[in-house]
Amino acid sequence: MKKKKTTFQKITMVIIWLMIISTIGSLVLTALSGLGLLTFG
């Protein structure tokens, strides 16, 4: 049985995914800069 997702549920899922992706992205950037592969400025 498939339930229709409400707009609120869709928005919540998008926010959760954005948070996960941004968290992973910042961790990767931190790891790269820590290894000296990435320089800012």
Short mmCIF file of all heavy atoms in Angstrom, two decimals:
data_model
loop_
_atom_site.label_atom_id
_atom_site.label_comp_id
_atom_site.label_asym_id
_atom_site.label_seq_id
_atom_site.Cartn_x
_atom_site.Cartn_y
_atom_site.Cartn_z
N MET A 1 0.84 -1.21 0.00
CA MET A 1 0.00 0.00 0.00
C MET A 1 0.87 1.25 0.00
O MET A 1 1.75 1.39 0.84
CB MET A 1 -0.88 0.03 1.26
CG MET A 1 -2.05 -0.96 1.17
SD MET A 1 -3.00 -0.96 2.67
CE MET A 1 -3.71 0.67 2.60
N LYS A 2 0.59 2.10 -0.94
CA LYS A 2 1.36 3.34 -1.02
C LYS A 2 0.54 4.49 -0.47
O LYS A 2 -0.61 4.66 -0.84
CB LYS A 2 1.73 3.65 -2.47
CG LYS A 2 2.96 2.90 -2.94
CD LYS A 2 3.41 3.41 -4.29
CE LYS A 2 4.66 2.69 -4.76
NZ LYS A 2 5.12 3.20 -6.05
N LYS A 3 1.16 5.22 0.42
CA LYS A 3 0.49 6.41 0.96
C LYS A 3 1.02 7.62 0.22
O LYS A 3 2.20 7.69 -0.08
CB LYS A 3 0.81 6.57 2.44
CG LYS A 3 0.03 5.62 3.33
CD LYS A 3 0.33 5.95 4.79
CE LYS A 3 -0.21 4.88 5.71
NZ LYS A 3 0.20 5.12 7.10
N LYS A 4 0.14 8.56 -0.04
CA LYS A 4 0.58 9.80 -0.66
C LYS A 4 1.29 10.64 0.39
O LYS A 4 0.78 10.82 1.49
CB LYS A 4 -0.62 10.58 -1.22
CG LYS A 4 -0.87 10.29 -2.68
CD LYS A 4 -1.82 11.35 -3.25
CE LYS A 4 -1.99 11.18 -4.75
NZ LYS A 4 -2.89 12.20 -5.29
N LYS A 5 2.46 11.11 0.02
CA LYS A 5 3.19 11.95 0.97
C LYS A 5 2.61 13.35 0.93
O LYS A 5 2.31 13.88 -0.13
CB LYS A 5 4.67 12.01 0.59
CG LYS A 5 5.43 10.80 1.09
CD LYS A 5 6.92 11.02 0.95
CE LYS A 5 7.69 9.83 1.49
NZ LYS A 5 9.14 10.02 1.36
N THR A 6 2.49 13.93 2.11
CA THR A 6 1.99 15.29 2.17
C THR A 6 3.12 16.24 1.79
O THR A 6 4.29 15.88 1.77
CB THR A 6 1.50 15.63 3.58
OG1 THR A 6 2.61 15.51 4.49
CG2 THR A 6 0.40 14.68 4.02
N THR A 7 2.74 17.48 1.48
CA THR A 7 3.75 18.48 1.13
C THR A 7 4.73 18.67 2.27
O THR A 7 5.93 18.79 2.06
CB THR A 7 3.05 19.82 0.80
OG1 THR A 7 2.09 19.57 -0.23
CG2 THR A 7 4.04 20.84 0.30
N PHE A 8 4.21 18.67 3.49
CA PHE A 8 5.06 18.84 4.67
C PHE A 8 6.11 17.74 4.76
O PHE A 8 7.28 18.00 5.03
CB PHE A 8 4.20 18.86 5.93
CG PHE A 8 5.01 19.00 7.19
CD1 PHE A 8 5.57 20.21 7.52
CD2 PHE A 8 5.21 17.91 8.03
CE1 PHE A 8 6.33 20.34 8.68
CE2 PHE A 8 5.97 18.04 9.18
CZ PHE A 8 6.52 19.26 9.52
N GLN A 9 5.70 16.50 4.48
CA GLN A 9 6.65 15.38 4.54
C GLN A 9 7.72 15.52 3.48
O GLN A 9 8.89 15.23 3.71
CB GLN A 9 5.90 14.06 4.36
CG GLN A 9 5.15 13.65 5.62
CD GLN A 9 4.31 12.39 5.40
OE1 GLN A 9 3.64 12.26 4.38
NE2 GLN A 9 4.33 11.48 6.33
N LYS A 10 7.32 15.98 2.27
CA LYS A 10 8.29 16.16 1.20
C LYS A 10 9.31 17.22 1.57
O LYS A 10 10.51 17.04 1.39
CB LYS A 10 7.57 16.57 -0.10
CG LYS A 10 6.84 15.41 -0.76
CD LYS A 10 6.17 15.91 -2.02
CE LYS A 10 5.28 14.82 -2.63
NZ LYS A 10 4.52 15.33 -3.77
N ILE A 11 8.82 18.34 2.12
CA ILE A 11 9.71 19.42 2.52
C ILE A 11 10.67 18.94 3.61
O ILE A 11 11.87 19.22 3.57
CB ILE A 11 8.89 20.65 3.00
CG1 ILE A 11 8.14 21.26 1.82
CG2 ILE A 11 9.80 21.68 3.66
CD1 ILE A 11 7.09 22.27 2.23
N THR A 12 10.14 18.18 4.57
CA THR A 12 10.98 17.66 5.65
C THR A 12 12.07 16.77 5.09
O THR A 12 13.23 16.87 5.49
CB THR A 12 10.12 16.88 6.66
OG1 THR A 12 9.06 17.73 7.10
CG2 THR A 12 10.93 16.45 7.86
N MET A 13 11.72 15.89 4.15
CA MET A 13 12.71 15.00 3.56
C MET A 13 13.79 15.79 2.84
O MET A 13 14.97 15.48 2.95
CB MET A 13 12.03 14.04 2.57
CG MET A 13 11.31 12.88 3.24
SD MET A 13 12.41 11.87 4.27
CE MET A 13 13.55 11.26 3.03
N VAL A 14 13.39 16.82 2.10
CA VAL A 14 14.37 17.64 1.37
C VAL A 14 15.32 18.31 2.35
O VAL A 14 16.53 18.32 2.15
CB VAL A 14 13.64 18.69 0.50
CG1 VAL A 14 14.63 19.72 -0.04
CG2 VAL A 14 12.91 18.01 -0.64
N ILE A 15 14.78 18.86 3.44
CA ILE A 15 15.62 19.53 4.44
C ILE A 15 16.60 18.53 5.06
O ILE A 15 17.79 18.82 5.21
CB ILE A 15 14.73 20.18 5.52
CG1 ILE A 15 13.98 21.37 4.92
CG2 ILE A 15 15.58 20.64 6.71
CD1 ILE A 15 12.88 21.91 5.82
N ILE A 16 16.11 17.34 5.38
CA ILE A 16 16.98 16.32 5.98
C ILE A 16 18.10 15.95 5.01
O ILE A 16 19.27 15.88 5.39
CB ILE A 16 16.15 15.07 6.36
CG1 ILE A 16 15.25 15.40 7.56
CG2 ILE A 16 17.08 13.90 6.70
CD1 ILE A 16 14.19 14.34 7.81
N TRP A 17 17.77 15.75 3.73
CA TRP A 17 18.78 15.40 2.74
C TRP A 17 19.80 16.51 2.58
O TRP A 17 21.00 16.26 2.49
CB TRP A 17 18.14 15.06 1.40
CG TRP A 17 17.72 13.62 1.34
CD1 TRP A 17 16.45 13.14 1.33
CD2 TRP A 17 18.57 12.47 1.29
NE1 TRP A 17 16.47 11.76 1.30
CE2 TRP A 17 17.75 11.33 1.26
CE3 TRP A 17 19.97 12.31 1.29
CZ2 TRP A 17 18.29 10.04 1.23
CZ3 TRP A 17 20.50 11.02 1.25
CH2 TRP A 17 19.65 9.91 1.23
N LEU A 18 19.32 17.77 2.55
CA LEU A 18 20.25 18.90 2.42
C LEU A 18 21.20 18.95 3.61
O LEU A 18 22.40 19.20 3.45
CB LEU A 18 19.47 20.22 2.32
CG LEU A 18 18.78 20.46 0.98
CD1 LEU A 18 17.92 21.72 1.06
CD2 LEU A 18 19.80 20.60 -0.15
N MET A 19 20.68 18.69 4.80
CA MET A 19 21.52 18.69 5.99
C MET A 19 22.57 17.59 5.91
O MET A 19 23.74 17.81 6.21
CB MET A 19 20.64 18.49 7.24
CG MET A 19 19.88 19.73 7.65
SD MET A 19 18.69 19.41 8.96
CE MET A 19 19.78 18.87 10.28
N ILE A 20 22.16 16.40 5.49
CA ILE A 20 23.09 15.27 5.38
C ILE A 20 24.19 15.59 4.36
O ILE A 20 25.37 15.41 4.62
CB ILE A 20 22.33 13.98 4.99
CG1 ILE A 20 21.43 13.55 6.15
CG2 ILE A 20 23.31 12.87 4.63
CD1 ILE A 20 20.43 12.47 5.75
N ILE A 21 23.77 16.08 3.19
CA ILE A 21 24.72 16.37 2.11
C ILE A 21 25.69 17.46 2.54
O ILE A 21 26.90 17.35 2.32
CB ILE A 21 23.96 16.76 0.82
CG1 ILE A 21 23.23 15.54 0.26
CG2 ILE A 21 24.92 17.33 -0.22
CD1 ILE A 21 22.18 15.89 -0.77
N SER A 22 25.18 18.52 3.17
CA SER A 22 26.07 19.61 3.58
C SER A 22 27.03 19.16 4.68
O SER A 22 28.19 19.57 4.71
CB SER A 22 25.25 20.81 4.05
OG SER A 22 24.45 20.47 5.15
N THR A 23 26.56 18.29 5.56
CA THR A 23 27.42 17.76 6.62
C THR A 23 28.56 16.94 6.02
O THR A 23 29.72 17.12 6.35
CB THR A 23 26.62 16.91 7.61
OG1 THR A 23 25.57 17.70 8.15
CG2 THR A 23 27.50 16.39 8.73
N ILE A 24 28.21 16.03 5.10
CA ILE A 24 29.22 15.20 4.45
C ILE A 24 30.19 16.08 3.66
O ILE A 24 31.40 15.89 3.70
CB ILE A 24 28.54 14.15 3.53
CG1 ILE A 24 27.78 13.14 4.39
CG2 ILE A 24 29.59 13.44 2.67
CD1 ILE A 24 26.86 12.25 3.58
N GLY A 25 29.63 17.08 2.96
CA GLY A 25 30.48 17.97 2.17
C GLY A 25 31.48 18.71 3.03
O GLY A 25 32.66 18.81 2.66
N SER A 26 31.05 19.23 4.16
CA SER A 26 31.97 19.97 5.02
C SER A 26 33.02 19.03 5.62
O SER A 26 34.17 19.42 5.80
CB SER A 26 31.21 20.70 6.12
OG SER A 26 30.49 19.79 6.93
N LEU A 27 32.62 17.79 5.93
CA LEU A 27 33.58 16.82 6.46
C LEU A 27 34.65 16.51 5.42
O LEU A 27 35.84 16.43 5.73
CB LEU A 27 32.86 15.52 6.85
CG LEU A 27 32.09 15.57 8.17
CD1 LEU A 27 31.29 14.28 8.35
CD2 LEU A 27 33.03 15.76 9.34
N VAL A 28 34.23 16.36 4.16
CA VAL A 28 35.18 16.08 3.08
C VAL A 28 36.14 17.26 2.91
O VAL A 28 37.36 17.08 2.79
CB VAL A 28 34.43 15.78 1.76
CG1 VAL A 28 35.39 15.75 0.59
CG2 VAL A 28 33.68 14.46 1.88
N LEU A 29 35.59 18.47 2.92
CA LEU A 29 36.44 19.66 2.77
C LEU A 29 37.44 19.75 3.92
O LEU A 29 38.61 20.05 3.71
CB LEU A 29 35.57 20.93 2.75
CG LEU A 29 34.83 21.19 1.45
CD1 LEU A 29 33.92 22.41 1.60
CD2 LEU A 29 35.81 21.43 0.30
N THR A 30 36.99 19.47 5.13
CA THR A 30 37.88 19.51 6.29
C THR A 30 38.98 18.47 6.16
O THR A 30 40.14 18.75 6.42
CB THR A 30 37.08 19.25 7.59
OG1 THR A 30 36.01 20.19 7.65
CG2 THR A 30 37.95 19.39 8.82
N ALA A 31 38.62 17.28 5.72
CA ALA A 31 39.61 16.21 5.55
C ALA A 31 40.64 16.60 4.49
O ALA A 31 41.84 16.41 4.68
CB ALA A 31 38.91 14.90 5.17
N LEU A 32 40.17 17.13 3.36
CA LEU A 32 41.08 17.52 2.28
C LEU A 32 42.02 18.62 2.73
O LEU A 32 43.23 18.56 2.49
CB LEU A 32 40.27 17.97 1.05
CG LEU A 32 39.57 16.87 0.27
CD1 LEU A 32 38.73 17.47 -0.85
CD2 LEU A 32 40.57 15.88 -0.31
N SER A 33 41.49 19.65 3.38
CA SER A 33 42.33 20.76 3.81
C SER A 33 43.29 20.28 4.91
O SER A 33 44.42 20.76 5.00
CB SER A 33 41.48 21.92 4.32
OG SER A 33 40.65 21.50 5.39
N GLY A 34 42.86 19.32 5.71
CA GLY A 34 43.72 18.77 6.76
C GLY A 34 44.89 18.00 6.16
O GLY A 34 45.97 17.98 6.73
N LEU A 35 44.66 17.38 5.00
CA LEU A 35 45.72 16.64 4.34
C LEU A 35 46.62 17.56 3.52
O LEU A 35 47.60 17.12 2.95
CB LEU A 35 45.10 15.58 3.42
CG LEU A 35 44.44 14.41 4.14
CD1 LEU A 35 43.66 13.56 3.15
CD2 LEU A 35 45.45 13.54 4.87
N GLY A 36 46.24 18.82 3.43
CA GLY A 36 47.05 19.78 2.68
C GLY A 36 46.78 19.72 1.20
O GLY A 36 47.55 20.26 0.40
N LEU A 37 45.70 19.07 0.79
CA LEU A 37 45.38 18.99 -0.64
C LEU A 37 44.57 20.20 -1.09
O LEU A 37 44.39 20.44 -2.27
CB LEU A 37 44.56 17.72 -0.93
CG LEU A 37 45.28 16.41 -0.64
CD1 LEU A 37 44.33 15.24 -0.84
CD2 LEU A 37 46.49 16.23 -1.54
N LEU A 38 44.09 20.95 -0.09
CA LEU A 38 43.23 22.07 -0.40
C LEU A 38 43.72 23.29 0.38
O LEU A 38 43.94 23.21 1.58
CB LEU A 38 41.79 21.73 0.00
CG LEU A 38 40.66 22.49 -0.69
CD1 LEU A 38 40.60 22.15 -2.18
CD2 LEU A 38 39.34 22.15 -0.05
N THR A 39 43.92 24.39 -0.33
CA THR A 39 44.37 25.60 0.36
C THR A 39 43.37 26.71 0.11
O THR A 39 42.87 26.87 -1.00
CB THR A 39 45.75 26.02 -0.14
OG1 THR A 39 45.73 26.12 -1.55
CG2 THR A 39 46.83 25.02 0.28
N PHE A 40 43.10 27.45 1.15
CA PHE A 40 42.16 28.58 1.02
C PHE A 40 42.97 29.87 0.96
O PHE A 40 43.83 30.10 1.82
CB PHE A 40 41.19 28.60 2.21
CG PHE A 40 40.25 27.44 2.23
CD1 PHE A 40 40.45 26.39 3.11
CD2 PHE A 40 39.17 27.40 1.36
CE1 PHE A 40 39.57 25.31 3.12
CE2 PHE A 40 38.30 26.33 1.39
CZ PHE A 40 38.50 25.29 2.25
N GLY A 41 42.68 30.68 -0.03
CA GLY A 41 43.40 31.94 -0.15
C GLY A 41 44.69 31.76 -0.88
O GLY A 41 45.74 31.65 -0.28
#
